[in-house]
Amino acid sequence: MHDLLIYNSLSNKKEVFKPIKEGYVGMYVCGPTVYSNVHLGNVRTFMSFDMVFRYFLHLGYKVRYVRNITDAGHLTDDSEEDKISTKARLEQLEPMEIVQKYTTDFHLILQKFNFLPPSIEPTATGHIVEQIKAIELILENGLAYEVNGSVYFDVLKYNEKEHYGILSKRKIEDAIENTRVLDGQSDKKNPQDFALWKKAEPEHIQRWDSPWGVGFPGWHLECTVMSTKYLGEEFDIHGGGMDLKFPHHECEIAQAQACNHRAPVKYWMHGNMLTMNGKKMAKSTGNNILPEEIFTGENDNISKPYTPSVARFFMMQAHYRSVLDFSNDAIMASEKGFGRLMDALTIVTSVKASEKSTLDVSAWKAKCYEAMNDDFNTPVLIANLFEGVKWINLLKENQESLTQEDLDLLKETMHIFI
């Protein structure tokens, strides 16, 4: 079997996968911020890593898959809006009620898509103590500073010895405002610096005591703390959406280097975005669909409901690093294709074996694995599976023949990958 190749965002090329510990894989994926229903773009990212998780398990690896829940009211975009606190006020609920409500929704949607649960699903609020300790260590190592109850990472000082921009390939002078506009922004030494701890204003609902006063942790810190706590100071794979590469993942690398003096991750993997009808998905324009709306058909962008299996198959038809466009025509075509696969699985059970084989099943099976070993190339795998469908229909019509051994191999391979 060929080596497994993974496209590493750090080197921008495919590399042979060599785990840090033989037979084991440690994988961390950035999970959702639970303030609303999980959107389809997020589902696509998590689905890609569910596929990666499953394939490693199939190859016989022991995998520790960690996917976090961001349940602290972090400021996760270029605004001062704390999305969890804002939603809590709108719905007149406690922040933890919002968190519970949308964490439950997240799990229900992923169950419908038949995701395997991660090995560990840590929460940001469950690791406040560890985040404070990490900040203390970064301060001790001279790579952060405290001002007016907030603590900032000193990017320029870090960059004197390390490379801030190693993942995103950005130059330090271009990395201006790499977090978001916040109250107290003028407290920073440099605009590139990002918050490790923010002083809580009176209206901020989620708040914790710290050596620097009452506040809350920065957005990037939780993932550094939780990934290294459960996977070690260096682990195999860190995944997430391409939109997280900068600043989130770049800051994760800097924080881990500042704490542990080593690069935290061997292979960085990034999934691409999901568009709809050729445009970016956005609630404001109505160019948007929730996973549940696909299952019920209650959305103006689709003509009928589709099963989770069809929606999953639709997403697997594109490579995880490619942009995928959702449309009514596209998912309708996927339903037809998925139906052909399911019909073939039914037909193959009634096919009779012959004394000789006219088809090379072993070579076909090898092509299926070659596709998956080439950076998890599901579109090529699916093309090979449809070759198998064609064979099954020819076998049914007695236009080709297989021995019992080859017929069993064909059935087994179809069941492995469908």
Side-chain angles (χ1 to χ4, degrees):
M1 193 184 288
H2 289 258
D3 288 326
L4 172 59
L5 298 175
I6 294 180
Y7 186 90
N8 190 349
S9 299
L10 204 56
S11 61
N12 282 342
K13 64 183 181 184
K14 291 177 189 175
E15 298 177 8
V16 175
F17 178 70
K18 292 180 180 174
I20 293 166
K21 185 178 179 183
E22 191 65 38
Y24 291 81
V25 177
M27 181 169 76
Y28 185 90
V29 173
C30 293
T33 302
V34 281
Y35 68 93
S36 64
N37 298 105
V38 62
H39 65 75
L40 202 59
N42 283 144
V43 168
R44 186 197 176 193
T45 298
F46 303 133
M47 191 175 292
S48 296
F49 289 102
D50 181 67
M51 174 267 296
V52 170
F53 181 31
R54 286 171 179 274
Y55 192 59
F56 276 123
L57 292 173
H58 173 66
L59 294 179
Y61 285 97
K62 185 171 174 57
V63 187
R64 178 175 285 177
Y65 174 23
V66 183
R67 188 187 65 213
N68 72 302
I69 295 283
T70 297
D71 61 345
H74 298 178
L75 307 168
T76 53
D77 62 4
D78 296 322
S79 75
E80 294 178 18
E81 181 189 33
D82 169 346
K83 291 183 175 180
I84 293 174
S85 293
T86 300
K87 200 62 176 276
R89 286 193 182 92
L90 280 172
E91 298 194 16
Q92 295 185 315
L93 298 170
E94 281 290 322
M96 280 298 130
E97 285 181 280
I98 293 295
V99 163
Q100 185 65 40
K101 176 180 177 180
Y102 292 111
T103 301
T104 300
D105 168 74
F106 174 67
H107 288 148
L108 286 172
I109 291 296
L110 267 52
Q111 283 167 15
K112 288 181 181 180
F113 278 113
N114 195 30
F115 282 34
L116 295 177
S119 317
I120 302 173
E121 194 173 54
T123 64
T125 56
H127 295 77
I128 298 295
V129 171
E130 290 92 336
Q131 291 179 75
I132 288 171
K133 284 182 179 175
I135 296 168
E136 288 176 326
L137 185 56
I138 296 169
L139 281 164
E140 192 180 305
N141 290 335
L143 291 171
Y145 56 92
E146 186 264 332
V147 56
N148 295 333
S150 295
V151 182
Y152 297 97
F153 190 94
D154 194 331
V155 170
L156 294 185
K157 190 162 185 187
Y158 170 81
N159 205 56
E160 289 171 8
K161 292 185 179 178
E162 303 293 345
H163 179 195
Y164 183 81
I166 192 169
L167 179 65
S168 59
K169 312 298 183 272
R170 296 189 184 209
K171 292 179 181 176
I172 191 79
E173 54 270 22
D174 298 334
I176 296 170
E177 303 303 330
N178 66 355
T179 45
R180 56 213 55 83
V181 180
L182 296 169
D183 287 338
Q185 193 86 336
S186 59
D187 291 342
K188 293 183 182 183
K189 287 183 184 175
N190 301 289
Q192 295 94 337
D193 297 347
F194 57 89
L196 297 172
W197 186 265
K198 280 297 296 177
K199 178 183 178 181
E201 299 304 321
E203 66 273 12
H204 201 92
I205 303 174
Q206 287 182 296
R207 50 179 57 224
W208 292 268
D209 289 328
S210 81
W212 316 285
V214 176
F216 55 97
W219 170 32
H220 314 298
L221 193 62
E222 65 180 274
C223 288
T224 295
V225 164
M226 292 189 282
S227 62
T228 54
K229 174 169 180 173
Y230 297 110
L231 298 173
E233 291 180 2
E234 185 187 21
F235 55 95
D236 298 298
I237 295 171
H238 193 313
M242 210 164 271
D243 56 323
L244 295 180
K245 188 186 288 188
F246 186 88
H248 186 54
H249 291 160
E250 195 74 70
C251 295
E252 277 191 61
I253 292 173
Q255 291 165 159
Q257 286 271 21
C259 286
N260 305 317
H261 310 291
R262 63 199 300 182
V265 179
K266 278 189 77 175
Y267 305 91
W268 284 90
M269 295 178 67
H270 290 96
N272 215 323
M273 65 188 292
L274 183 70
T275 58
M276 186 162 169
N277 299 317
K279 298 173 185 172
K280 185 178 178 181
M281 282 201 185
K283 286 182 187 175
S284 56
T285 61
N287 194 55
N288 185 60
I289 188 166
L290 291 171
E292 194 63 45
E293 292 172 338
I294 295 174
F295 312 150
T296 63
E298 293 173 4
N299 186 289
D300 292 340
N301 291 286
I302 54 173
S303 56
K304 61 189 276 286
Y306 294 92
T307 65
S309 296
V310 166
R312 185 177 180 118
F313 179 67
F314 160 74
M315 294 202 202
M316 289 294 108
Q317 285 181 292
H319 191 273
Y320 76 91
R321 286 191 291 112
S322 302
V323 174
L324 173 61
D325 188 56
F326 181 92
S327 68
N328 187 57
D329 288 349
I331 196 162
M332 195 179 288
S334 292
E335 185 178 50
K336 289 175 184 171
F338 185 71
R340 283 174 58 208
L341 284 176
M342 292 299 104
D343 290 345
L345 286 182
T346 303
I347 292 165
V348 77
T349 58
S350 60
V351 169
K352 299 283 191 292
S354 301
E355 291 182 9
K356 65 170 188 174
S357 292
T358 57
L359 299 165
D360 190 344
V361 180
S362 293
W364 170 78
K365 177 184 176 181
K367 281 167 62 182
C368 291
Y369 278 96
E370 279 172 28
M372 286 301 287
N373 288 338
D374 183 17
D375 193 32
F376 311 98
N377 199 326
T378 54
V380 172
L381 169 68
I382 288 169
N384 289 327
L385 292 176
F386 278 118
E387 181 76 8
V389 170
K390 188 170 81 174
W391 286 2
I392 289 166
N393 288 324
L394 290 170
L395 290 165
K396 178 192 172 188
E397 295 162 9
N398 297 315
Q399 293 179 28
E400 299 284 1
S401 62
L402 289 179
T403 63
Q404 189 63 55
E405 185 181 358
D406 280 343
L407 185 58
D408 289 344
L409 187 61
L410 176 63
K411 290 178 189 175
E412 178 197 0
T413 307
M414 292 290 282
H415 278 287
I416 284 169
F417 290 114
I418 294 177

